[in-house]
Amino acid sequence: MKNVPYIVTAVLIALTALFAILNKVWEGFVYFVLGSLLLLALFWGVWQTYLYFTEYKEERAEEFKFFRAKKIGEGQIAEKEFDAAEKEYLKLFNKSILKDKIIKWGIIAFCFAIAAAFLMGMILY
């Protein structure tokens, strides 16, 4: 499953290159080029969204375990106290990873913005 994005990307880039070369034969192939690039951008937007809701959430749960171990290991707080105030520490942890979440959603928004640009290119060409 981890090779799927690379295979799809390689196939769509090869199709895009083929259609770009064939564009010299018939000008209508520009729509195939833009369509291939639109599909590529949509694929990556959907793939990044899928990864965010599956793997990214699991990674954050693992990082919270390390955050917990670090707080307890440094001697800042006892294990029982941490467990009693886990919601507050979860909020503190979520504040520390806010920048990473914003970057992930920015990447997703960028993919869909690129897809919208290719769609507008197809409409306005």
Side-chain angles (χ1 to χ4, degrees):
M1 185 82 173
K2 67 179 183 177
N3 292 332
V4 170
Y6 303 114
I7 294 169
V8 171
T9 300
V11 168
L12 285 173
I13 287 176
L15 283 174
T16 302
L18 176 68
F19 293 141
I21 292 169
L22 290 175
N23 188 32
K24 295 178 182 174
V25 177
W26 178 53
E27 194 173 317
F29 278 113
V30 74
Y31 291 106
F32 293 103
V33 171
L34 291 172
S36 298
L37 293 173
L38 171 69
L39 287 176
L40 182 64
L42 285 175
F43 170 76
W44 275 103
V46 169
W47 184 256
Q48 291 296 325
T49 305
Y50 168 75
L51 288 180
Y52 180 82
F53 286 115
T54 56
E55 293 179 7
Y56 182 73
K57 297 275 184 176
E58 292 172 7
E59 289 174 7
R60 293 300 158 228
E62 274 300 306
E63 286 182 20
F64 182 70
K65 290 178 186 176
F66 288 121
F67 176 78
R68 180 180 185 270
K70 181 181 175 188
K71 290 289 183 186
I72 293 171
E74 290 176 347
Q76 295 177 353
I77 189 168
E79 187 175 352
K80 291 178 184 178
E81 293 173 1
F82 187 92
D83 291 338
E86 187 172 352
K87 287 187 179 184
E88 288 81 18
Y89 283 105
L90 188 59
K91 287 181 184 178
L92 179 67
F93 175 72
N94 285 334
K95 284 182 183 178
S96 69
I97 64 167
L98 181 63
K99 178 183 174 186
D100 195 31
K101 283 184 180 181
I102 291 172
I103 289 172
K104 290 282 186 188
W105 280 108
I107 291 170
I108 292 168
F110 178 74
C111 290
F112 287 119
I114 294 296
F118 286 128
L119 182 63
M120 289 303 297
M122 288 175 70
I123 292 170
L124 297 176
Y125 184 73

